Amino acid sequence: MTPRIYHNARCSKSRATLALLEERGLTCEVIHYLDTPPSAAELADLLGKLGMTPRELIRKGEAEYTELGLDDPSLDDTSLLQAMASHPRLIERPIVVANGKAAIGRPPEAVLAIL
């Protein structure tokens, strides 16, 4: 299976993770998720593979987090997934999917565990 990386070329961790995979001789399917964001359903699937909740995957330092009031503890997972699908900058990056599993490349070497 070809590894898939949800990539943001402006992010140093994302670039380093992609470089690490390529150094290992892997050709990846690169998804520029800011241009083609995953749907809420795709995000739910990724979360299952990551073993995380939407709150754990959301980037709290982004302006949209505050602007959309996503710190409200009463928001359910569906609302958070919709927000991330509509505002992909809120999605933690990079995410690598391989062998039915997923990992976040923070640090980049963390993705090696799923290869």
Side-chain angles (χ1 to χ4, degrees):
M1 176 183 179
T2 301
R4 182 175 50 220
I5 182 170
Y6 290 84
H7 180 62
N8 177 349
R10 296 185 64 191
C11 172
S12 63
K13 296 291 186 205
S14 194
R15 289 191 311 269
T17 300
L18 181 57
L20 177 68
L21 295 170
E22 290 172 342
E23 287 166 8
R24 297 252 186 297
L26 298 169
T27 301
C28 299
E29 175 188 355
V30 178
I31 299 171
H32 296 276
Y33 71 94
L34 294 177
D35 298 326
T36 54
S39 67
E42 289 169 316
L43 285 168
D45 181 61
L46 284 172
L47 286 169
K49 290 176 174 140
L50 287 164
M52 297 173 75
T53 67
R55 284 224 181 262
E56 293 171 317
L57 186 65
I58 203 162
R59 293 176 57 88
K60 295 166 184 67
E62 297 295 337
E64 291 96 333
Y65 183 78
T66 304
E67 291 165 4
L68 297 170
L70 298 177
D71 58 342
D72 180 348
S74 70
L75 290 175
D76 62 8
D77 287 354
T78 301
S79 299
L80 295 173
L81 288 170
Q82 243 349 72
M84 286 188 280
S86 298
H87 304 274
R89 285 184 357 147
L90 291 167
I91 303 168
E92 186 60 81
R93 64 193 181 248
I95 301 171
V96 174
V97 180
N99 301 313
K101 299 176 187 172
I104 295 177
R106 292 185 172 268
E109 295 77 18
V111 304
L112 297 177
I114 65 167
L115 299 177

